[in-house]
């Protein structure tokens, strides 16, 4: 007798997939051996559309303002965007206060302070980049973006 397992389709963004799916899939398998779990990667907009069309059972994603009321949303965790700056860049752009900056910026910083530096960033269709672009627009800040990439390791 062949028993077919039900499959639960779980969608998430590429970054979250790497962070949460291996543990989630292992724990799920231990708790619910009668089900298979299949991970699907997409951006926030794609995941929302897949949920609406019944192509996903659940998604871990940033909340889109376009998400209809029929999609049940549950807050799970806060996320932070980190700006990574080399010591050489800090010395170059903050020569008079480099040592103070190192300690000060560990506690947080205003992105306006870095607007003269060259930036590498991810593609604008990613949810985290949309959040950043919204912040920059609201604050009237323009960054000197010298490189835009779709490569995931730039995002980590």
């Amino acid at each position: 007798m062949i028993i077919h397992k039900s499959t639960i389709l779980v969608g998430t963004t590429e970054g979250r997939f790497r962070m949460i799916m291996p543990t989630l899939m292992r724990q799920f398998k231990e708790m619910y051996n009668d089900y298979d779990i299949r991970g699907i990667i997409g951006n926030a907009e794609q995941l929302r559309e897949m949920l609406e069309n019944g192509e996903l059972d659940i998604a871990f994603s940033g909340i889109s303002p376009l998400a209809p009321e029929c999609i049940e949303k549950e807050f799970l965790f806060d996320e932070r965007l980190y700006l990574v700056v080399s010591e050489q860049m800090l010395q170059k752009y903050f020569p008079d206060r480099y040592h103070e900056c190192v300690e000060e910026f560990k506690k947080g910083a205003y992105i306006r302070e870095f607007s003269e530096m060259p930036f590498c960033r991810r593609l604008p269709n990613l949810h985290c980049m949309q959040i950043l672009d919204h912040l920059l627009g609201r604050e009237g800040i323009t960054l000197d973006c010298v490189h835009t990439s779709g490569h995931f390791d730039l995002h980590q």
Side-chain angles (χ1 to χ4, degrees):
M1 177 169 150
I2 298 175
I3 299 174
H4 294 281
K5 292 183 176 186
S6 295
T7 300
I8 297 177
L9 303 174
V10 179
T12 188
T13 59
E14 185 176 4
R16 285 185 187 94
F17 191 91
R18 289 182 176 193
M19 291 184 288
I20 64 173
M21 289 304 285
T23 302
L24 177 70
M25 292 171 103
R26 181 182 42 73
Q27 290 176 345
F28 187 88
K29 200 68 165 156
E30 290 171 1
M31 294 171 62
Y32 305 101
N33 194 32
D34 294 340
Y35 292 89
D36 284 329
I37 185 169
R38 188 171 137 222
I40 297 173
I41 296 173
N43 65 34
E45 181 63 20
Q46 291 168 330
L47 296 172
R48 179 190 61 81
E49 288 177 9
M50 292 173 80
L51 280 169
E52 283 184 61
N53 296 332
E55 299 167 18
L56 286 178
D57 296 307
I58 189 171
F60 295 97
S61 177
I63 297 175
S64 169
L66 302 174
E69 291 299 316
C70 65
I71 295 178
E72 187 175 324
K73 303 161 206 73
E74 183 73 29
F75 177 79
L76 297 178
F77 51 85
D78 278 323
E79 293 181 295
R80 294 175 183 234
L81 293 176
Y82 290 93
L83 175 64
V84 179
V85 181
S86 70
E87 287 191 39
Q88 294 85 356
M89 293 290 277
L90 285 176
Q91 288 172 343
K92 179 177 179 178
Y93 287 91
F94 300 96
D96 298 334
R97 55 186 208 110
Y98 163 72
H99 294 291
E100 297 85 39
C101 287
V102 171
E103 291 307 311
E104 178 185 327
F105 293 157
K106 286 179 184 178
K107 300 172 192 159
Y110 293 102
I111 195 160
R112 183 179 305 281
E113 296 182 79
F114 301 91
S115 62
E116 300 299 317
M117 288 184 180
F119 273 79
C120 297
R121 59 176 283 163
R122 286 290 306 251
L123 297 173
N125 64 331
L126 295 169
H127 190 70
C128 60
M129 291 296 96
Q130 292 169 356
I131 293 169
L132 177 62
D133 289 340
H134 176 76
L135 169 70
L136 295 171
R138 187 183 72 206
E139 299 294 321
I141 300 170
T142 302
L143 299 179
D144 180 18
C145 291
V146 297
H147 180 73
T148 302
S149 173
H151 194 274
F152 180 77
D153 289 334
L154 180 60
H155 182 60
Q156 280 187 322

